[in-house]
């Protein structure tokens, strides 16, 4: 395993370098002390420190000497640990930049190296204060960015400008004031800020360890990462703050080992917490970074020019001159910004003839009148060729194209409520897969998903609905040559996402139009079935008045209602409720009607019909579709209604004296299990009424989720004792609408009322 070897080699190197430094420093002047402007005096090989009222600088030592070259050599030997450790950290920074392509970690180690080196200059020569302050405070900013990195967040650049501006102001204050009090305040503020943010990072790391169950090797990496942060921040602070060098003879070895081992421990703990170099250029804030750089350059040129012309005049009126410069710069800032944008666009993308030509080809491909499959395949192939990447995939929520398979055309559907889509749809900037390597929870799931597809970048695609919502995600695979994406290629990918989004938008409109046409065709088919097998003329039935209500909740009813006239004195009635709504249920109702009528015309009795319907549903749908059904035969001469009830609501006998009785005997619903059915009967006297209905009537909901219910239905019927049968369904529909008070229907409504004259 190469990672343990990294740590072991780092530890051995640290010990050897520490021993070598100590041996070399034995030849240096052990009594030479150097002090900060605050009066804090420390021996150079970090094994003694104290406060003094009379600080001694290296310049004074060298000036008092007759041999300046020897004294300079002595100073370099005294500060050999600073120099060597800063070189080690600088080398680590270069490694992260060119080997791992990680700009953030490059900055982190670069500014640690700069701080250690500037600390040497401050102590030895009482100079280099601006880099000292700047690197001290910027280390804390980079630690904050690392905390976001550890949580799987992106490397947002929009805060870079205010960060640099704020730190620059603090550094200028320390540089200009250059007094012990200012030095003490700034250095202590920077040190305690670093300690605080390091503690936050350590807590984040251990929080992930305890919250998520991960592998042992992964937990070891996280623990080592936390230890490395503790060693580089808290342990040196405690050694100096508590003067532990006096108590421990070899405390300097500990300090050397900490600083030299830290890069190895950090590399091991953050391995593949990396970022491609192009990430620095992903946002337009780069323009502001250049603008700040131009401001600093212009200001320094202006300041030194004023000092050269008249130092006394500028010193006496520095505030007025600075305000004048600020106003002048702001007046041309907008022009400079446009020039910078033009410059960046031209040098990164505009002058790249290959990318521009490819973009024109992609537009032409979309404009051609070819199939979607052929268009997407051509686009993907052209983009892969020019970027030299392993794959291009578009990730869309499955609900957007629920009935269309898209895998063959480089489009992957994913559930809208999945944690992967929820995470990616919230990212407004690019997601870098390597950021999420050690992420837990949703971040871990997203990493596994992207890594399995060999994806390096996930670029959000904004839709055409105007609300800035992510409509899809453009996934870009790893480069075949293992190089980083250039700024021009990043901009090219952004343009590709716009074209892909346009293509998906057009396809969505096409799918919607096709769906509408298919729906109209289905509706027409259902209407043909309805007109073919559902009789509308019931005037030939003797001694019977019949009326009914049938209102679908979604355009096509899922309730089964049918009347079959056997002869002038016998009427067969069916009322059922198919599970679900919409076109699928409508087809099933039509199929059941056709099936039942065929059975009736072939002379099959009612019990056998129920058995056959049950068998048909079980064999055809395997329990995924079921039907509640009541069916019976009414003899209009005798008034006897013989019926079978398979899980449907009980029929009501509405007697002439305005009392209502329920006949609740029933059997298991159809389509679940084989069942033995039995016949029931009830007697209708003269002027009695038979009422059949579906649960859409009694389960109609009001505004407060109150249901209409059976009791309210009975009250409605009793209140219309003397109402003509033909008017009752319309009155019931009105009563249900009043009860809903504007609420949408949630189920199909079916109601049958039959009067024996």
């Amino acid at each position: 395993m190469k990672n343990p070897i990294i740590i072991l080699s780092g530890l051995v190197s640290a010990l050897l370098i520490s021993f070598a430094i100590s041996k070399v420093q034995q030849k240096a002047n052990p009594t030479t002390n150097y002090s900060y402007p605050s009066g804090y005096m420390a021996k150079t090989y970090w094994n003694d420190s104290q406060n003094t009222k009379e600080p001694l600088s290296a310049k004074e030592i060298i000036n008092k000497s007759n041999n300046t070259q020897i004294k300079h050599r002595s100073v370099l030997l005294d500060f050999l640990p600073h120099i060597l450790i800063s070189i080690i950290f600088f080398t680590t920074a270069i490694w992260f930049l060119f080997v791992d392509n990680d700009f953030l970690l490059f900055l982190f180690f670069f500014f640690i190296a700069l701080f250690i080196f500037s600390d040497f200059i401050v102590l030895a020569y009482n100079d280099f204060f601006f880099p000292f302050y700047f690197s001290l405070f910027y280390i804390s900013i980079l630690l904050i960015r690392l905390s976001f990195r550890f949580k799987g967040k992106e490397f947002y650049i929009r805060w870079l400008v205010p960060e640099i501006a704020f730190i620059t102001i603090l550094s200028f204050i320390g540089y200009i004031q250059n007094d012990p009090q200012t030095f003490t305040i700034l250095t202590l503020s920077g040190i305690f800020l670093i300690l605080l943010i390091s503690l936050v990072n350590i807590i984040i790391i251990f929080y992930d360890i305890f919250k998520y169950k991960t592998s042992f090797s992964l937990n070891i990496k996280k623990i080592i990462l936390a230890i490395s942060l503790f060693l580089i921040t808290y342990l040196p602070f405690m050694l100096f703050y508590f003067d532990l060098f006096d108590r421990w003879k070899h405390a300097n070895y500990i300090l050397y080992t900490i600083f030299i081992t830290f890069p190895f421990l950090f590399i091991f703990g953050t391995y593949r917490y990396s970022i491609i170099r192009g990430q620095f250029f992903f946002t337009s804030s780069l323009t502001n970074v250049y603008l700040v750089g131009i401001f600093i350059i212009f200001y320094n040129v202006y300041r030194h020019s004023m000092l050269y012309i008249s130092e006394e005049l500028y010193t006496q009126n520095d505030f007025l001159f600075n305000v004048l410069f600020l106003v002048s710069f702001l007046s041309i800032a907008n022009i400079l910004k446009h020039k910078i944008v033009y410059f960046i666009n031209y040098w990164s993308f505009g002058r790249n003839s290959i990318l521009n030509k490819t973009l024109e080809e992609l537009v032409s491909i979309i404009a051609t009148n070819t199939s979607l499959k052929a268009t997407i395949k051509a686009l993907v192939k052209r983009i892969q060729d020019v970027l030299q990447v392993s794959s291009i995939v578009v990730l869309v929520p499955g609900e957007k194209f629920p009935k269309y398979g898209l895998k063959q055309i480089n489009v992957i559907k994913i559930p809208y409520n999945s944690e992967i889509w929820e995470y990616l749809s919230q990212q407004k900037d690019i997601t870098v897969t390597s950021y999420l390597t050690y992420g837990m929870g949703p971040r871990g799931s997203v990493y596994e998903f992207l890594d399995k597809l060999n994806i390096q970048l996930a670029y959000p695609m904004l839709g055409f609905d105007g609300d800035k919502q992510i409509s899809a995600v453009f996934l870009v695979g790893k480069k075949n040559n293992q190089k980083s994406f250039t700024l021009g290629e990043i901009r090219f990918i952004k343009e590709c996402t716009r074209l892909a989004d346009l293509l998906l938008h057009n396809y969505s409109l096409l799918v919607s139009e096709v769906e509408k046409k298919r729906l109209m065709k289905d509706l027409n088919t259902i209407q043909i079935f309805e007109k073919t097998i559902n009789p509308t003329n019931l005037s030939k039935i003797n001694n019977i008045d019949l009326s009914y209500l049938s209102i679908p909740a979604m355009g096509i009813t899922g309730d089964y209602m049918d009347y079959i006239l056997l002869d002038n004195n016998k009427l067969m009635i069916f009322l059922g409720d198919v599970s679900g709504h919409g076109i699928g249920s409508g087809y099933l109702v039509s199929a059941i009607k056709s099936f039942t009528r065929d059975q009736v015309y072939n002379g099959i009795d009612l019990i056998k019909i129920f058995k056959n319907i049950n068998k048909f549903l079980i064999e055809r749908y395997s329990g995924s579709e079921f039907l509640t059904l009541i069916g019976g035969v009414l003899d209009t001469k005798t008034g006897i209604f013989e019926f079978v009830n398979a899980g449907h609501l009980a029929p009501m006998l509405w007697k002439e004296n305005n009392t209502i009785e329920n006949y609740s005997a029933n059997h298991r619903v159809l389509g679940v299990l084989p069942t033995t059915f039995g016949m029931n009967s009830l007697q209708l006297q003269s002027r009695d009424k038979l009422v059949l209905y579906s649960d859409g009537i009694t389960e109609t909901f009001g505004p407060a989720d109150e249901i209409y219910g059976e009791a309210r239905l009975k009250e409605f019927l009793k209140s219309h004792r003397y109402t003509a049968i033909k008017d009752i369904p319309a009155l019931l529909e009105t009563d249900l609408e009043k009860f809903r008070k504007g609420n949408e229907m949630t189920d199909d409504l079916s109601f049958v009322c039959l009067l024996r004259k």
Side-chain angles (χ1 to χ4, degrees):
M1 297 282 298
K2 66 177 183 179
N3 288 330
I5 293 176
I6 290 176
I7 296 179
L8 183 61
S9 61
L11 183 61
V12 172
S13 300
L15 292 175
L16 291 175
I17 293 174
S18 302
F19 178 76
I21 290 174
S22 297
K23 289 297 183 182
V24 171
Q25 284 194 324
Q26 288 178 2
K27 300 179 180 180
N29 185 1
T31 61
T32 303
N33 294 319
Y34 302 89
S35 64
Y36 293 104
S38 60
Y40 187 84
M41 185 173 62
K43 283 190 175 179
T44 53
Y45 45 97
W46 302 346
N47 62 354
D48 189 20
S49 61
Q50 60 180 337
N51 286 305
T52 177
K53 299 295 183 179
E54 299 177 359
L56 187 64
S57 69
K59 285 184 177 180
E60 294 173 332
I61 297 173
I62 294 172
N63 290 336
K64 293 178 180 180
S65 173
N66 294 326
N67 193 332
T68 304
Q69 183 178 1
I70 295 176
K71 284 298 179 180
H72 271 301
R73 186 182 302 168
S74 176
V75 170
L76 292 178
L77 290 176
D78 285 340
F79 286 96
L80 186 61
H82 286 76
I83 298 171
L84 290 179
I85 293 174
S86 62
I87 291 174
I88 292 173
F89 275 78
F90 181 75
T91 304
T92 306
I94 296 300
W95 184 88
F96 272 115
L97 181 62
F98 291 102
V99 178
D100 206 30
N101 296 324
D102 195 316
F103 191 77
L104 177 59
L105 295 184
F106 160 75
L107 290 178
F108 180 64
F109 278 90
F110 174 79
F111 278 102
I112 293 179
L114 180 61
F115 174 73
I116 295 173
F117 185 79
S118 60
D119 181 66
F120 148 55
I121 303 297
V122 167
L123 272 171
Y125 298 102
N126 196 28
D127 201 354
F128 225 53
F129 284 98
F130 182 85
F132 176 83
Y133 292 126
F134 192 92
S135 57
L136 175 64
F137 282 100
Y138 205 65
I139 289 172
S140 61
I141 297 296
L142 293 171
L143 283 172
I144 293 175
R145 290 194 175 277
L146 283 177
S147 66
F148 281 92
R149 171 79 68 88
F150 298 150
K151 294 298 293 181
K153 303 297 182 180
E154 301 306 320
F155 180 55
Y156 299 120
I157 198 175
R158 57 178 172 264
W159 291 105
L160 185 60
V161 174
E163 288 169 3
I164 294 177
F166 178 72
I167 296 173
T168 301
I169 291 172
L170 289 179
S171 303
F172 264 119
I173 291 174
Y175 172 73
I176 294 172
Q177 295 293 333
N178 197 21
D179 61 82
Q181 184 179 2
T182 304
F183 181 87
T184 302
I185 293 174
L186 290 179
T187 52
L188 289 179
S189 299
I191 290 171
F192 283 110
L193 188 60
I194 289 174
L195 293 175
L196 176 61
I197 300 170
S198 296
L199 179 62
V200 171
N201 276 309
I202 293 170
I203 292 174
I204 289 173
I205 294 170
F206 279 103
Y207 174 78
D208 278 350
I209 292 175
F210 289 110
K211 182 178 180 180
Y212 304 107
K213 295 181 179 180
T214 56
S215 64
F216 176 77
S217 60
L218 184 56
N219 286 335
I220 290 297
K221 283 177 175 287
K222 287 182 171 291
I223 291 172
I224 289 178
L225 179 60
I227 291 174
S228 68
L229 291 174
F230 175 81
L231 291 178
I232 199 65
T233 54
Y234 280 90
L235 196 56
F237 174 77
M238 289 187 292
L239 287 173
F240 283 103
Y241 186 79
F242 296 106
D243 292 329
L244 298 181
F245 292 103
D246 292 335
R247 304 177 187 178
W248 296 348
K249 182 178 179 181
H250 301 291
N252 57 322
Y253 285 98
I254 298 175
L255 202 57
Y256 298 159
T257 304
I258 289 172
F259 277 92
I260 298 172
T261 309
F262 172 73
F264 298 95
L265 294 175
F266 194 86
I267 290 172
F268 174 80
T270 63
Y271 186 64
R272 290 191 63 191
Y273 261 132
S274 59
I275 177 178
I276 63 173
R277 276 176 289 181
Q279 179 74 5
F280 184 69
F281 306 104
F282 281 169
T283 71
S284 59
S285 297
L286 181 62
T287 305
N288 295 326
V289 175
Y290 286 134
L291 199 60
V292 170
I294 293 174
F295 175 83
I296 294 174
I297 293 173
F298 278 18
Y299 177 75
N300 278 279
V301 172
Y302 169 78
R303 182 174 179 272
H304 285 86
S305 299
M306 291 295 102
L307 290 173
Y308 178 78
I309 295 172
S310 177
E311 182 176 356
E312 182 179 357
L313 178 63
Y314 179 79
T315 305
Q316 293 175 354
N317 302 277
D318 57 346
F319 178 78
L320 180 61
F321 279 106
N322 289 336
V323 170
L324 179 63
F325 171 81
L326 183 61
V327 172
S328 301
F329 186 84
L330 291 177
S331 64
I332 64 171
N334 195 43
I335 299 175
L336 287 174
K337 187 173 183 179
H338 286 293
K339 293 294 183 181
I340 293 171
V341 170
Y342 174 80
F343 178 83
I344 294 175
N345 288 337
Y346 176 76
W347 285 98
S348 64
F349 184 71
R351 70 190 186 101
N352 193 321
S353 58
I354 296 176
L355 295 181
N356 279 274
K357 184 179 179 181
T358 302
L359 194 60
E360 293 175 0
E361 292 177 3
L362 297 180
V363 174
S364 301
I365 292 173
I366 292 179
T368 56
N369 188 18
T370 58
S371 66
L372 175 74
K373 185 176 181 179
T375 302
I376 291 184
K377 280 190 173 181
L379 286 174
V380 169
K381 185 178 186 305
R382 194 68 190 95
I383 296 172
Q384 283 186 235
D385 290 343
V386 73
L387 292 179
Q388 299 182 8
V389 295
S390 58
S391 60
I392 297 290
V393 179
V394 178
L395 189 69
V396 298
E399 288 76 1
K400 195 168 185 178
F401 308 105
K403 297 183 179 180
Y404 294 84
L406 303 170
K407 288 185 178 179
Q408 295 79 11
I409 54 175
N410 296 79
V411 178
I412 297 179
K413 294 190 296 186
I414 190 171
Y416 187 81
N417 58 351
S418 68
E419 60 181 3
I420 294 173
W421 177 256
E422 288 181 355
Y423 180 90
L424 291 175
S425 63
Q426 295 173 0
Q427 307 303 314
K428 301 301 182 183
D429 293 323
I430 287 180
T431 297
V432 182
T433 303
S434 57
Y435 263 30
L436 311 173
T437 304
Y438 298 129
M440 300 297 126
R443 303 191 312 277
S445 301
V446 173
Y447 170 75
E448 291 179 4
F449 176 78
L450 296 178
D451 186 62
K452 186 177 180 180
L453 295 174
N454 200 31
I455 297 300
Q456 184 171 357
L457 301 177
Y459 208 120
M461 297 165 55
L462 295 177
F464 285 81
D465 47 13
D467 58 356
K468 300 299 182 181
Q469 294 296 315
I470 305 300
S471 62
V473 180
F474 199 77
L475 306 180
V476 183
K478 297 179 180 179
K479 299 204 72 172
N480 298 326
N481 55 13
Q482 302 300 317
K483 292 183 178 179
S484 297
F485 289 98
T486 65
L487 177 57
E489 289 172 335
I490 296 301
R491 294 186 63 83
F492 174 76
I493 293 172
K494 184 177 181 179
E495 296 300 324
C496 290
T497 63
R498 294 175 179 174
L499 294 177
D501 203 22
L502 175 62
L503 191 62
L504 284 178
H505 179 68
N506 292 337
Y507 181 56
S508 178
L509 294 177
L510 176 63
V511 169
S512 177
E513 189 65 27
V514 170
E515 186 68 20
K516 287 179 182 178
K517 290 181 179 180
R518 189 178 68 84
L519 180 60
M520 292 300 299
K521 181 180 178 181
D522 291 338
L523 288 172
N524 292 333
T525 303
I526 294 296
Q527 290 174 1
I528 293 173
F529 279 137
E530 291 287 339
K531 292 178 181 179
T532 303
I533 65 177
N534 192 23
T536 58
N537 186 10
L538 300 172
S539 61
K540 296 181 180 180
I541 306 174
N542 294 330
N543 304 321
I544 290 294
D545 282 343
L546 185 147
S547 63
Y548 64 92
L549 173 70
S550 180
I551 302 176
M554 298 180 63
I556 300 175
T557 183
D559 285 354
Y560 166 35
M561 182 187 294
D562 199 10
Y563 315 95
I564 304 174
L565 187 61
L566 301 180
D567 56 44
N568 290 339
N569 296 314
K570 286 189 178 181
L571 175 67
M572 184 172 283
I573 304 172
F574 290 96
L575 181 62
D577 187 0
V578 175
S579 59
H581 311 284
I583 293 175
S585 298
Y587 272 128
L588 184 54
V589 166
S590 298
I592 295 295
K593 281 185 177 181
S594 300
F595 181 82
T596 303
R597 281 178 169 263
D598 184 66
Q599 299 271 303
V600 172
Y601 294 151
N602 285 314
I604 298 176
D605 63 78
L606 193 61
I607 292 178
K608 185 67 173 178
I609 290 174
F610 270 74
K611 288 182 179 179
N612 290 340
I613 294 174
N614 190 41
K615 182 180 179 182
F616 166 77
L617 291 173
I618 292 174
E619 291 179 352
R620 180 70 178 271
Y621 297 101
S622 303
S624 61
E625 294 283 356
F626 58 88
L627 168 70
T628 67
L629 179 65
I630 183 170
V633 179
L634 176 65
D635 189 326
T636 60
K637 284 186 176 181
T638 63
I640 297 175
F641 180 61
E642 294 181 312
F643 65 94
V644 177
N645 190 351
H648 199 75
L649 296 173
M652 291 181 179
L653 182 58
W654 183 8
K655 295 187 176 182
E656 185 185 9
N657 60 7
N658 210 27
T659 61
I660 299 177
E661 296 179 1
N662 287 48
Y663 288 79
S664 58
N666 58 24
H667 302 282
R668 185 184 291 118
V669 298
L670 303 175
V672 179
L673 292 171
T675 304
T676 302
F677 299 96
M679 192 76 75
N680 300 290
S681 66
L682 58 85
Q683 176 70 53
L684 273 75
Q685 302 297 335
S686 177
R687 309 303 300 176
D688 285 351
K689 305 178 188 74
L690 176 67
V691 176
L692 306 175
Y693 59 96
S694 67
D695 58 5
I697 301 289
T698 54
E699 294 181 4
T700 293
F701 287 89
D705 288 338
E706 180 186 6
I707 62 171
Y708 190 78
E710 182 182 304
R712 191 175 273 104
L713 175 61
K714 288 182 178 181
E715 290 177 6
F716 167 82
L717 295 175
K718 289 179 180 180
S719 67
H720 293 86
R721 177 181 182 181
Y722 301 108
T723 303
I725 288 296
K726 64 182 180 63
D727 297 328
I728 289 178
L731 293 172
L732 177 61
E733 181 184 0
T734 301
D735 194 56
L736 291 171
E737 288 179 353
K738 289 181 180 179
F739 181 78
R740 286 199 304 269
K741 294 182 180 179
N743 282 2
E744 295 290 334
M745 289 175 54
T746 58
D747 201 356
D748 304 318
L749 304 179
S750 295
F751 174 83
V752 179
C753 187
L754 183 149
L755 169 68
R756 184 188 179 201
K757 296 180 183 179

